Amino acid sequence: MRQLKYDEVTGMWFRRMLLEEWFDKYQYEIRYNVGESAVHCLTFADIDIDLRHVSLRYGYHAGKPELREMIADQYEGLSSEHVVVTNGGSEALFSVAVCLLKPGDHVIVEHPNYPSNYEVLRSLGCKVDLLHLEFENDFQLDLNELKALMTPQTKLVCLTHPNNPTGSMISEKTLEEIVDLIESRGCFMVFDETYRELAFGHKLPTAASVSSKAVSISTMSKSYGLPGIRIGWIATKDKFILESVLAIREQVTICNSAISEVIALSVLERKDEFLENVRRHVERNSQTVVSWMENQKELEWKRPEAGVICFPRIKLDVFLNPENLYQLLVEKYKTFVIPGRCFEMDNRHFRLGYGGMPRELEVGLKNIGKALKEVVDSTSF
Ligand SMILES: Cc1ncc(COP(=O)(O)O)c(C=O)c1O
């Protein structure tokens, strides 16, 4: 039987991600980035690290042993042998999907989500069902909906909590119920824990600690403000997955950047200090967003429970073309939010990121208000 390519128009197995295209086009053109999903990025000066001694040779394929140990410390019951350090969370998501799935496999992916969570699976030719988080349900995961989507053929469930782009979060009890469900059905779960450290309240236990059928994915990119070092990881008790991931990466990246691993290690050694600063910063910025939202009569939202992102919506009775707003923002106001369409959502939603510097956030929010007024006024005539 002829295998269909994922994208019959371009003939490519993979297609470009709308979200990343939007970033690639505008992120260096704008001045006020209020769409970003990371806390403001650190510099060498912030980290204060001397790299002159770093040997620029190939690294261990599973990652620098001290770094793996440091990461494993966050996972109860796991040790360094249960961790593979990857080139960002992206490589982690990609390689776990490739090692677990084949064309035709049934998978369930929470939606909205960071698009790699479903795009890779679609590209592999899997049958992907989306588990929708609805605005009307406070973007909460509906366990009954998850149960209804599961079939005897379901191989994998992919969840992201705290969620990108909504900032919603499941409870520990729901996580336990989901674990019971996937274990009883004999399938795997990929749990993207990118924002775990940025929960406003109690943080969730790591999924890989709770179940041997769970794979935890995380990264230095968001909570630590280090997307440029491209360091993420996979943690799981499943030895087959860990070994398969090495087989995949040996064809693609072989190992991580030696410099990046040393930077990640140095920051994780001072994790509490870095995260304390980040949490203080996020707390302040989130107050700014809450106050701003209170005065936006054209917008509605669900207050995020974690992270540095939320997903407001232009009210349904406001007459405008949302795309005009986003274009005006980048072109005239040099201000960047992420249109909902980049997450395959109603374009009235947009991702608002409040991890940046306070001044950048304040001006960015003001600009959204100005642009919104301009688009609404020009639409009503
Ligand atoms: C939830 C989530 N997972 C994974 C990634 C990929 O992160 P990385 O930059 O580490 O590849 C992102 C990036 O935005 C994300 O938001």
Side-chain angles (χ1 to χ4, degrees):
M1 195 177 76
R2 190 174 79 96
Q3 282 278 334
L4 286 186
K5 288 207 168 74
Y6 174 59
D7 189 329
E8 286 287 306
V9 179
T10 61
M12 281 159 56
W13 282 107
F14 291 86
R15 61 177 180 183
R16 290 203 67 191
M17 240 155 81
L18 290 174
L19 172 66
E20 295 300 340
E21 272 188 301
W22 180 257
F23 262 97
D24 209 19
K25 186 162 177 197
Y26 292 117
Q27 66 173 328
Y28 284 105
E29 306 296 316
I30 46 94
R31 287 227 296 279
Y32 309 103
N33 187 345
V34 283
E36 182 56 69
S37 57
V39 297
H40 72 92
C41 299
L42 300 180
T43 63
F44 271 118
D46 297 321
I47 300 173
D48 191 19
I49 182 174
D50 180 359
L51 293 173
R52 280 173 301 178
H53 66 286
V54 178
S55 166
L56 299 174
R57 56 179 290 184
Y58 285 108
Y60 287 89
H61 293 190
K64 194 175 174 62
E66 303 90 311
L67 177 57
R68 290 165 67 204
E69 257 169 53
M70 190 62 69
I71 291 168
D73 271 355
Q74 305 169 39
Y75 296 85
E76 215 184 306
L78 273 68
S79 63
S80 60
E81 72 195 40
H82 299 116
V83 172
V84 174
V85 184
T86 53
N87 287 269
S90 305
E91 187 193 0
L93 288 172
F94 180 86
S95 48
V96 171
V98 171
C99 85
L100 283 179
L101 300 166
K102 47 183 193 333
D105 281 347
H106 181 242
V107 291
I108 300 169
V109 188
E110 188 175 70
H111 185 266
N113 207 328
Y114 181 67
S116 292
N117 278 281
Y118 45 86
E119 277 297 320
V120 175
L121 311 183
R122 285 173 179 164
S123 299
L124 291 174
C126 295
K127 184 175 173 315
V128 180
D129 273 326
L130 300 178
L131 171 65
H132 297 286
L133 306 181
E134 306 284 356
F135 181 79
E136 286 67 26
N137 190 27
D138 290 346
F139 292 127
Q140 291 302 307
L141 184 148
D142 182 341
L143 199 58
N144 288 328
E145 178 71 19
L146 174 58
K147 284 181 189 159
L149 287 173
M150 286 189 100
T151 75
Q153 282 74 42
T154 305
K155 286 275 175 55
L156 180 67
V157 173
C158 301
L159 306 176
T160 298
H161 281 278
N163 178 264
N164 176 6
T166 66
S168 75
M169 208 174 126
I170 54 171
S171 65
E172 192 169 339
K173 181 167 171 290
T174 305
L175 175 62
E176 281 163 13
E177 287 170 332
I178 294 168
V179 164
D180 286 348
L181 185 64
I182 57 139
E183 286 185 348
S184 68
R185 304 294 180 101
C187 59
F188 281 99
M189 168 165 78
V190 165
F191 205 90
D192 185 332
E193 295 166 351
T194 289
Y195 294 98
R196 177 171 174 266
E197 295 290 354
L198 296 182
F200 296 163
H202 194 58
K203 63 183 177 190
L204 285 170
T206 50
S209 314
V210 180
S211 172
S212 55
K213 300 298 273 183
V215 184
S216 289
I217 303 268
S218 196
T219 173
M220 298 298 290
S221 298
K222 310 296 175 176
S223 314
Y224 297 92
L226 292 170
I229 66 170
R230 313 301 307 128
I231 291 287
W233 60 86
I234 294 160
T236 180
K237 290 179 186 156
D238 189 290
K239 287 285 164 59
F240 164 79
I241 295 177
L242 294 161
E243 185 66 15
S244 307
V245 161
L246 292 184
I248 293 158
R249 80 169 332 185
E250 280 160 5
Q251 304 299 335
V252 188
T253 57
I254 303 180
C255 59
N256 308 300
S257 144
I259 299 169
S260 296
E261 289 198 328
V262 171
I263 296 171
L265 180 60
S266 167
V267 169
L268 286 179
E269 279 168 348
R270 294 171 283 160
K271 180 177 178 225
D272 292 342
E273 180 195 327
F274 277 98
L275 287 179
E276 203 181 303
N277 286 337
V278 163
R279 288 193 189 111
R280 225 177 299 121
H281 165 78
V282 171
E283 165 82 33
R284 176 184 165 173
N285 277 3
S286 77
Q287 285 309 321
T288 305
V289 176
V290 169
S291 311
W292 181 78
M293 275 303 296
E294 277 165 8
N295 294 312
Q296 302 310 305
K297 62 181 191 320
E298 283 93 1
L299 301 178
E300 54 193 344
W301 75 328
K302 302 298 171 192
R303 268 179 81 157
E305 298 166 271
V308 286
I309 42 184
C310 54
F311 207 43
R313 180 166 79 176
I314 303 163
K315 286 184 185 164
L316 302 179
D317 57 2
V318 176
F319 187 55
L320 53 67
N321 176 351
E323 199 60 34
N324 293 345
L325 171 67
Y326 310 135
Q327 290 297 338
L328 185 70
L329 273 171
V330 284
E331 277 154 25
K332 176 171 172 186
Y333 290 99
K334 303 290 171 213
T335 297
F336 185 74
V337 296
I338 315 295
R341 65 176 170 78
C342 295
F343 294 97
E344 301 185 9
M345 288 288 281
D346 181 345
N347 215 22
R348 283 182 173 265
H349 282 282
F350 59 91
R351 188 176 77 188
L352 183 63
Y354 51 89
M357 296 311 265
R359 174 82 190 134
E360 181 180 18
L361 176 64
E362 280 157 26
V363 179
L365 292 177
K366 262 191 203 129
N367 288 346
I368 297 174
K370 284 185 202 164
L372 197 49
K373 183 171 180 335
E374 234 173 284
V375 176
V376 169
D377 288 350
S378 67
T379 313
S380 40
F381 286 108

